[in-house]
């Protein structure tokens, strides 16, 4: 099923679709930071306290999706290099834009970002003190839970991290601008009749994802530099 | 008009090839690109230089024999045009024009600008036909075909198999060609019996011939002299998935 050139495209598209769904849910989750410490903490806590097989099942599923997606991407790229060993003296295009031609580049940087992001906020090995941040705010039973809110503020107060984060989200936006519509082509569900509309949805989705993710680190930096106050200022004192 | 031509020369499949620059004078604006090449070859012959090999046949845009990558574009920069139908008035006096063969591993250079496109024939042999009894011709309208399907099949059948799709594809994919040839028959009632086998075999042969993987850039359709639509690629993706799934259960 997945061994032919078309089969590989089905894999790219199906795993891409899983990741499209994931980034949307993740973005919606993040935006709860604007609803305050209690809201985002209780949301984070409810995810952490899912039954272990649901939590680890989803994690493994996502990990497998991104690994299959990246592995298939690199194998397509290697095969395609072999298929066209000699370059033209002048390489030109009529239709393909930057986003479609640079899927491998944007994907690779996204992959690097995902690794960094997991070390930063999930495994918390870059700043081990994040693991010790606990509070009872947002806790359903009043016990000490992980303080996701404080970690987010602390994490994004570093300019270089926030900038990397926003740049990575821009590249994800470019990846999706081609990828979203491309999924339908790869699965045989696109036609020229509705390609224009689909491309519009693709465009809108890509920018929504960019905006929804970037607004969190940007709001922290904006407050840090005293331009506008989004959050309780006491979190910025230390 | 006077032009500078930067032309690819390659003595045979094993030669690594290089560019050669020639000046050509008094090219008529009304001549076609291939007539300009003829003029160049006459000039080369007069100077005792080996003429440049290039492919051509009908010179009226229907056989698919002409090729050439001109300034990086398969069949030149004009849309919906074969090299033989490209006119010199589309260029300007003093232009430098780069002329290269269609480049792909599956299209090895035979000599200069001539490439071997027989991998396309192999794809056709794998399923680009319908098995039918020979005998007297059937009645014209014996099999009813909805107009829309007939139109779509005709649009696919417009493919002349020139290989511009492969040459313009950064991945040297033959998806537009294969999908047009498979789609043309898969759309018609006569093509149904062998539909699944056709799709699976043509794709398999396409992969084995050393073409690359489609990445949905759309350069093929943009370069196609017959404007074959990407819809046929989507249809091939769909038909192939269906055939594979059916195979799982049979
Ligand atoms: C959250 C992360 C990601 C999302 C949401 C995503 C989404 C997508 C989507 C929807 C497609 C289109 C699939 C198709 O054409 O059918 C795609 C293609 C692609 N992705 Fe990703 N992707 C992600 C991460 C990555 C990573 C980490 C890589 C790293 C190598 C990568 C490399 C590629 C490449 C090279 C393509 C183009 C494949 C082709 O054109 O044939 N992506 N991606
Ligand atoms: S020579 Fe026949 S199509 Fe150009």
């Amino acid at each position: 099923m997945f061994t032919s050139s078309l089969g590989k495209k089905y894999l790219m598209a199906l795993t891409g679709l899983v990741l499209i769904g994931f980034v949307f849910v993740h973005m919606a989750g993040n935006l709860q930071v604007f609803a305050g410490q209690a809201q985002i903490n209780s949301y984070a806590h409810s995810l952490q306290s899912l039954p272990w097989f649901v939590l680890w099942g989803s994690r493994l599923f996502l990990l497998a999706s991104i690994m299959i997606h990246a592995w298939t991407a690199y194998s397509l790229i290697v095969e395609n290099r072999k298929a066209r060993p000699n370059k033209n003296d002048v390489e030109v295009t009529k239709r393909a834009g930057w986003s479609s031609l640079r899927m491998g580049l944007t994907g690779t940087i996204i992959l690097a970002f995902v690794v960094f992001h997991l070390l930063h906020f999930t495994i918390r090995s870059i700043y081990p003190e994040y693991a010790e941040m606990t509070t009872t705010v947002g806790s359903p039973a009043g016990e000490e839970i992980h303080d996701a809110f404080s970690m987010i503020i602390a994490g994004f107060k570093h300019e270089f991290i926030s900038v990397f984060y926003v740049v990575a989200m821009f590249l994800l936006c470019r990846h999706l601008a081609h990828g979203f519509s491309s999924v339908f082509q790869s699965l045989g569900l696109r036609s020229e009749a509705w390609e224009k509309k689909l491309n519009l949805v693709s465009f809108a989705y890509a920018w929504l994802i960019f905006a929804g993710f970037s607004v969190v680190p940007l709001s922290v930096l904006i407050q840090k530099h005293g331009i506008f106050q989004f959050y309780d200022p006491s979190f910025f004192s230390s | 008009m006077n032009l500078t031509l930067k032309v690819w020369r390659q003595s045979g499949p094993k030669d690594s090839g290089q560019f050669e620059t020639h000046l050509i004078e008094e090219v008529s604006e009304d001549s076609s690109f291939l007539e300009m090449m003829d003029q160049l070859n006459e000039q080369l012959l007069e100077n005792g230089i080996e003429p440049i090999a290039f492919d051509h046949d009908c010179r009226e845009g229907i056989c698919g024999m002409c090729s050439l990558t001109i300034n990086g574009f398969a069949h030149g920069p004009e849309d919906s045009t074969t090299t033989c139908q490209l006119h010199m008035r589309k260029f300007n006096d003093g232009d430098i024009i780069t002329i290269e063969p269609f480049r792909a591993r599956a299209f090895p250079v035979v000599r200069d600008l001539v490439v071997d496109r027989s991998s396309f024939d192999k794809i056709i042999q794998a399923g680009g036909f319908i098995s039918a009894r020979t005998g007297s011709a059937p009645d014209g309208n014996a099999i009813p075909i909805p107009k829309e399907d007939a139109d779509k099949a005709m649009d696919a059948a417009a493919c002349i198999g020139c290989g511009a799709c492969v040459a313009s594809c950064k991945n040297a994919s033959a998806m537009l060609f294969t999908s047009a040839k498979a789609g043309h028959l898969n759309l018609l009632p006569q093509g149904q019996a062998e539909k699944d086998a056709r799709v699976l075999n043509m794709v398999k042969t396409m992969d084995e011939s050393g073409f690359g993987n489609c990445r949905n850039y759309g350069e093929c359709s943009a370069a196609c002299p017959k404007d074959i639509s990407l819809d046929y690629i989507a249809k091939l993706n769909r038909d192939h998935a269906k055939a594979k799934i059916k195979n799982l259960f049979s």
Side-chain angles (χ1 to χ4, degrees), chain A residues 48-134:
Chain A
Q48 293 281 349
S49 41
L50 285 170
W52 68 269
F53 56 92
V54 178
L55 184 64
W56 281 99
S58 327
R59 282 178 168 169
L60 285 180
F61 180 66
L62 286 170
L63 199 66
S65 298
I66 203 161
M67 279 168 46
I68 293 171
H69 188 81
W71 174 257
T72 315
Y74 291 132
S75 94
L76 288 176
I77 291 171
V78 169
E79 284 175 15
N80 287 348
R81 290 244 168 94
K82 283 195 208 134
R84 204 166 183 272
N86 302 310
K87 284 219 166 307
N88 281 342
D89 187 50
V90 253
E91 283 289 349
V92 288
T93 55
K94 275 189 172 175
R95 192 188 284 183
W98 191 89
S99 305
S100 16
L101 294 169
R102 298 282 173 273
M103 292 299 275
L105 175 73
T106 53
T108 303
I109 299 174
I110 296 165
L111 190 61
F113 169 78
V114 168
V115 172
F116 172 78
H117 185 62
L118 288 177
L119 294 175
H120 187 212
F121 280 155
T122 309
I123 303 168
R124 302 172 194 139
S125 58
I126 295 178
Y127 296 99
E129 63 268 28
Y130 290 175
E132 266 99 65
M133 291 179 165
T134 56

Side-chain angles (χ1 to χ4, degrees), chain B residues 56-66 82 84 160:
Chain B
H56 60 102
D57 191 12
C58 71
R59 297 204 177 198
E60 53 185 15
I62 54 172
C63 74
M65 197 60 201
C66 57
T82 53
C84 59
I160 53 176

Side-chain angles (χ1 to χ4, degrees), chain A residues 139-215:
Chain A
S139 165
E143 81 279 26
E144 288 277 318
I145 58 169
H146 181 246
D147 190 0
F149 183 82
S150 301
M151 180 178 78
I152 292 170
I153 306 283
F156 289 139
K157 274 200 289 194
H158 302 284
E159 274 83 359
F160 65 95
I161 288 182
S162 286
V163 167
F164 178 43
Y165 192 101
V166 173
V167 168
M169 289 308 107
F170 176 72
L171 297 176
L172 177 60
C173 164
R174 296 296 82 214
H175 199 78
L176 289 169
H178 172 82
F180 189 99
S181 170
S182 178
V183 164
F184 294 86
Q185 176 75 7
S186 298
L187 295 177
L189 304 172
R190 191 168 83 176
S191 72
E192 281 189 355
W194 74 298
E195 188 182 341
K196 280 217 171 64
K197 279 181 224 153
L198 186 63
N199 286 346
L200 217 64
V201 177
S202 199
F203 175 89
Y205 180 79
W207 283 107
L208 173 76
I209 291 295
F210 172 68
F213 276 117
S214 302
V215 66

Side-chain angles (χ1 to χ4, degrees), chain B residues 2-15:
Chain B
N2 302 334
L3 301 164
T4 307
L5 304 174
K6 202 175 145 195
V7 193
W8 186 258
R9 299 300 307 252
Q10 186 172 335
S11 62
K14 297 240 157 60
D15 182 20

